Amino acid sequence: MLPQLYQKLESEAMPRIRRLCNGEDTTQMGAYPHGAQLTLEVTVPRCLGASAVVLRLAEDGGEERDLPLGFCSADKGEDLYSVTLSTALLCGEDGGLFYYELLFLRGEKTLFTHSVDNLEFQLRERSGSRFRLLIYRADFHTPTWFREGTMYHIFLDRFCRGAGAVALRSGATEETDWENGIPQFAEKNGDALANDLFFGGNLWGVIEKLDYLRQMGITVLYLSPVFEAASNHRYDTADYERIDAYLGGEKAFDHLVEEAHRRGMRIVLDGVFNHTGDNSRYFNRYGTYGEGGAYGDAKSPYREWYRFREDGDYESWWGIEILPRLNHENPACRRYFTAPQGIAAKWLRRGADGWRLDVADELSDAFLDELRETVKTVSHGEAVIIGEVWENAADKIAYGKRRRYFRGRQLDSVMNYPFRNAVLGLLQRGDTEFFVHALNEIYASYPREVSDSLMNLLGTHDTQRILTVLGDETAGEGLSNRALSTKRLTPAQRSRAVRLLKIAAALQFTVYGIPSVYYGDEAGLEGYHDPFCRMPYPWGRENAELVRFYRMLGSLRARHKALRGGDFRFLSHTRGSFLFERAREEDRVLVAVNLGVEPKAFPLNGEWIDCVSEAVLREELLLSPGCCAVLVRR
């Protein structure tokens, strides 16, 4: 516990920090382009007793250096100090990562800033958590069409069975009961599973539903893997050069590209470049692809694409033997994906608009550097690269190595799992502090181009369905997979979950970044962990209330540029409520949530319309417990 003096300082006389970039107030940001002039201004109440202020700065893994702040002025019991840094002098044009803190010298005792979320801070008597400073390439930009879009994540086998021609792979089984069929599951997690039961969703089905998706404001389709593979999920790629025939093959893919682009929609493919299937043309463990292949032929051109041990065993992804891991240290293997005539470029030329990179943490820096250079060259800077990263990616350490995803030579964006965690903390535990700090932390860590491009998700093919999580507080804990395969929310649980999902979706569509709707969330689809989060879309049985709500949110995002790249800031937050603002030029949107037990009043200036309740408001928003409001100017 802090001494009483420090408690008083925190509540009444805390220093204030401003971060300016080239003279513009960027206090909420912690990432800056190379070549910018960064100024720290610190206003220090005289009652703090500080005789000097020092900036302690260190490059990641480097030595610390202390820079005294210069005294600027005194006014009304406060002193202003500042220091200006040239980011060009801190590191090379490829950027760098730094950490810093401020020291307030008070005679024998020094106080240190302790960063809470890279934006807010406390004062401590010892050095602790430091602010993060990320410097990125000056030419780093993300595609506008992506930043301003709305994404829909489709698990192809379960979205829609279209009428176009397909060819079921030999040895696979087709589940014809779309409404009541249950995905294959292992008796217990970790057991082997063939995943060769197909419901038959395909690219023709996506084409048939494009107009439905446009009604929800969808502009970006993120497709689960489309390449030939043995399983229904297709993360065990068999041939990167062929669209799976059961999805409709190249003909269906080309037609989807044409029809999507005609509607102003873009297509992002799933790039599973870390591993292949063992039943693939490259590994060919079972001889499906004739003679040769890395597994049985030591002279195969693919042999060095994998890591074999002396006993004949091989390295696989997380020890799953059907997923042999690729060796990207081998130049031929790496360039197969990253070269100007490689796989990534091939499908961009064929009409794809970007890549989501599976398990990006396991792709080397060399791989990502080469991939970005090719992708951006081929697409003239217009293709997007999204990484599967589950944590804060600004200073992520993976396998003992600091990653440099956002310095301008690798990723444009990542899957924003921290947002999902923050929403669950908010709606399951009522933890508004965690939500506020989590969103501030990310916003103050990433380059603005990245923050505006974050893939904000509530669920994916790897997580329990958001409706199930919000409705079942036990998350099915202790139940067998057989029990979970048919378990559904009770009417009371489902009613509560729908109410909470509306709040979650409203946040997903209004915070910084791009909303990514997992297929069926808007229809009220339920499901526990994989594979039960991959149930077929309930065509004709959708939750009409949720569908209308998602369409309203999609329309709202399309109409208001504040939600597509506008500034983000919390205007207020308490233990049970918060209010944040999105603003871009003259456009403003306010979003309020109240999870307390009493109505919460938020003062307003002028006339507003609540897009949730459709009420016209003047002077005040009185928000009931367990509700949210999305306000736009009348």
Side-chain angles (χ1 to χ4, degrees):
M1 179 179 292
L2 289 173
Q4 186 175 1
L5 169 63
Y6 299 152
Q7 293 180 11
K8 180 179 179 181
L9 288 173
E10 286 195 330
S11 62
E12 298 180 5
M14 281 287 289
R16 301 189 301 278
I17 300 174
R18 293 178 72 209
R19 298 187 277 209
L20 298 95
C21 180
N22 296 332
E24 180 182 351
D25 191 340
T26 57
T27 299
Q28 290 185 277
M29 310 305 295
Y32 300 92
H34 184 265
Q37 295 291 109
L38 175 61
T39 299
L40 290 179
E41 290 186 351
V42 184
T43 302
V44 184
R46 238 171 258 147
C47 62
L48 186 65
S51 59
V53 182
V54 174
L55 169 68
R56 179 163 290 170
L57 177 70
E59 189 169 8
D60 183 36
E63 295 183 358
E64 298 175 347
R65 50 175 163 162
D66 288 349
L67 303 172
L69 274 69
F71 175 80
C72 298
S73 63
D75 183 43
K76 297 180 180 178
E78 296 180 328
D79 295 328
L80 178 66
Y81 297 83
S82 75
V83 63
T84 297
L85 305 171
S86 172
T87 58
L89 298 179
L90 292 178
C91 58
E93 64 179 10
D94 283 337
L97 178 64
F98 297 80
Y99 293 92
Y100 70 92
E101 61 187 338
L102 291 169
L103 285 62
F104 299 89
L105 280 55
R106 305 169 62 248
E108 296 182 357
K109 290 188 176 180
T110 298
L111 297 180
F112 300 79
T113 53
H114 182 88
S115 173
V116 175
D117 55 20
N118 213 40
L119 181 60
E120 296 186 13
F121 66 94
Q122 302 168 348
L123 290 179
R124 301 283 180 87
E125 291 182 316
R126 295 181 179 178
S127 177
S129 177
R130 301 185 178 188
F131 294 105
R132 184 187 298 106
L133 171 61
L134 179 66
I135 299 173
Y136 56 90
R137 288 180 59 93
D139 60 357
F140 175 49
H141 297 291
T142 58
T144 301
W145 64 263
F146 187 75
R147 291 198 309 270
E148 299 195 352
T150 298
M151 176 181 272
Y152 195 79
H153 175 186
I154 299 176
F155 190 83
L156 286 167
D157 187 58
R158 312 292 159 78
F159 180 60
C160 181
R161 184 189 293 142
V166 298
L168 181 61
R169 190 181 179 112
S170 175
T173 303
E174 190 169 33
E175 172 58 75
T176 59
D177 189 349
W178 187 270
E179 294 187 7
N180 302 300
I182 302 296
Q184 282 174 310
F185 59 89
E187 287 302 317
K188 64 178 186 297
N189 294 339
D191 285 354
L193 185 65
N195 279 308
D196 59 358
L197 177 69
F198 290 79
F199 280 79
N202 55 42
L203 296 173
W204 297 114
V206 177
I207 295 169
E208 292 176 11
K209 298 301 180 180
L210 288 177
D211 290 335
Y212 162 79
L213 296 174
R214 280 298 297 162
Q215 290 175 350
M216 199 163 54
I218 301 302
T219 61
V220 183
L221 305 179
Y222 158 41
L223 306 179
S224 64
V226 298
F227 303 119
E228 184 176 293
S231 73
N232 51 45
H233 54 69
R234 298 184 177 86
Y235 282 90
D236 54 337
T237 311
D239 190 342
Y240 293 98
E241 299 179 35
R242 294 168 58 89
I243 303 295
D244 199 304
Y246 194 38
L247 292 176
E250 279 73 22
K251 183 177 180 180
F253 179 82
D254 291 342
H255 193 47
L256 173 60
V257 168
E258 179 184 358
E259 290 298 314
H261 287 175
R262 187 168 66 83
R263 291 168 172 82
M265 304 169 80
R266 307 287 189 125
I267 296 174
V268 173
L269 299 181
D270 211 329
V272 188
F273 301 151
N274 174 70
H275 50 267
T276 67
D278 62 346
N279 190 8
S280 67
R281 61 176 280 198
Y282 317 97
F283 202 74
N284 200 24
R285 183 176 182 182
Y286 310 104
T288 304
Y289 291 84
E291 297 182 357
Y295 184 75
D297 183 0
K299 296 182 179 179
S300 167
Y302 302 123
R303 182 74 176 186
E304 299 303 318
W305 288 27
Y306 302 90
R307 292 185 174 93
F308 287 89
R309 304 184 181 97
E310 291 184 1
D311 62 0
D313 199 1
Y314 53 89
E315 184 178 321
S316 58
W317 184 69
W318 284 55
I320 303 173
E321 64 177 12
I322 66 169
L323 300 177
R325 188 178 180 190
L326 287 163
N327 173 22
H328 290 311
E329 292 182 7
N330 177 275
C333 176
R334 188 173 69 248
R335 298 292 286 172
Y336 177 72
F337 300 98
T338 66
Q341 301 301 320
I343 292 300
K346 169 186 172 69
W347 294 104
L348 291 177
R349 292 189 180 99
R350 194 71 176 257
D353 300 288
W355 291 97
R356 174 266 189 189
L357 301 179
D358 189 56
V359 293
D361 289 342
E362 303 191 30
L363 300 174
S364 69
D365 282 335
F367 185 98
L368 294 177
D369 290 346
E370 292 176 12
L371 184 78
R372 183 180 185 86
E373 182 177 358
T374 292
V375 164
K376 296 300 180 178
T377 299
V378 169
S379 68
H380 304 287
E382 281 298 293
V384 70
I385 306 173
I386 310 161
E388 181 192 10
V389 180
W390 288 59
E391 305 84 8
N392 186 317
D395 59 355
K396 174 71 185 286
I397 295 178
Y399 298 94
K401 184 175 182 179
R402 183 80 71 188
R403 304 311 302 265
R404 47 181 174 83
Y405 297 131
F406 295 148
R407 301 188 197 178
R409 292 190 61 188
Q410 295 189 350
L411 304 179
D412 290 315
S413 176
V414 290
M415 303 174 75
N416 195 2
Y417 279 100
F419 168 75
R420 180 180 191 268
N421 297 337
V423 169
L424 294 182
L426 176 72
L427 298 181
Q428 290 181 318
R429 304 187 301 273
D431 196 340
T432 53
E433 287 293 318
F434 176 61
F435 181 83
V436 170
H437 288 313
L439 264 69
N440 278 342
E441 168 75 12
I442 294 297
Y443 197 62
S445 299
Y446 294 173
R448 180 62 182 270
E449 296 272 336
V450 175
S451 294
D452 290 341
S453 303
L454 285 174
M455 183 178 162
N456 293 331
L457 54 91
L458 295 174
T460 70
H461 62 289
D462 289 324
T463 67
Q464 294 190 28
R465 282 280 174 179
I466 183 62
L467 197 69
T468 296
V469 174
L470 295 176
D472 184 356
E473 296 180 354
T474 70
E477 186 176 354
L479 295 180
S480 68
N481 282 350
R482 187 163 297 278
L484 293 176
S485 70
T486 57
K487 181 174 171 57
R488 301 293 181 268
L489 300 176
T490 66
Q493 287 177 322
R494 189 171 173 89
S495 176
R496 176 177 181 271
V498 167
R499 176 176 58 82
L500 293 177
L501 178 53
K502 285 184 175 181
I503 298 176
L507 295 171
Q508 182 184 27
F509 274 75
T510 57
V511 302
Y512 55 88
I514 169 174
S516 178
V517 179
Y518 185 42
Y519 83 100
D521 279 354
E522 82 281 11
L525 200 55
E526 299 179 27
Y528 289 86
H529 61 68
D530 166 21
F532 310 119
C533 57
R534 305 174 183 181
M535 300 293 286
Y537 190 102
W539 295 110
R541 297 171 287 118
E542 301 93 335
N543 182 305
E545 177 186 355
L546 280 176
V547 170
R548 285 193 300 270
F549 193 76
Y550 272 85
R551 286 179 177 174
M552 180 275 290
L553 292 174
S555 175
L556 179 75
R557 178 171 169 83
R559 293 195 317 271
H560 289 276
K561 58 185 176 183
L563 299 177
R564 294 177 280 112
D567 295 336
F568 172 89
R569 63 171 177 151
F570 283 98
L571 300 179
S572 66
H573 66 273
T574 66
R575 188 172 295 273
S577 66
F578 58 79
L579 174 71
F580 66 77
E581 175 191 58
R582 299 298 307 281
R584 184 176 175 185
E585 298 173 2
E586 75 285 352
D587 191 29
R588 291 181 68 207
V589 177
L590 301 179
V591 180
V593 170
N594 178 21
L595 296 177
V597 296
E598 299 290 339
K600 171 67 177 178
F602 297 91
L604 301 172
N605 292 320
E607 290 188 343
W608 298 78
I609 297 176
D610 179 6
C611 297
V612 176
S613 68
E614 300 183 348
V616 177
L617 305 170
R618 301 176 181 85
E619 297 183 359
E620 182 181 81
L621 164 66
L622 187 62
L623 193 59
S624 299
C627 292
C628 71
V630 181
L631 308 182
V632 298
R633 288 284 191 183
R634 187 179 182 189

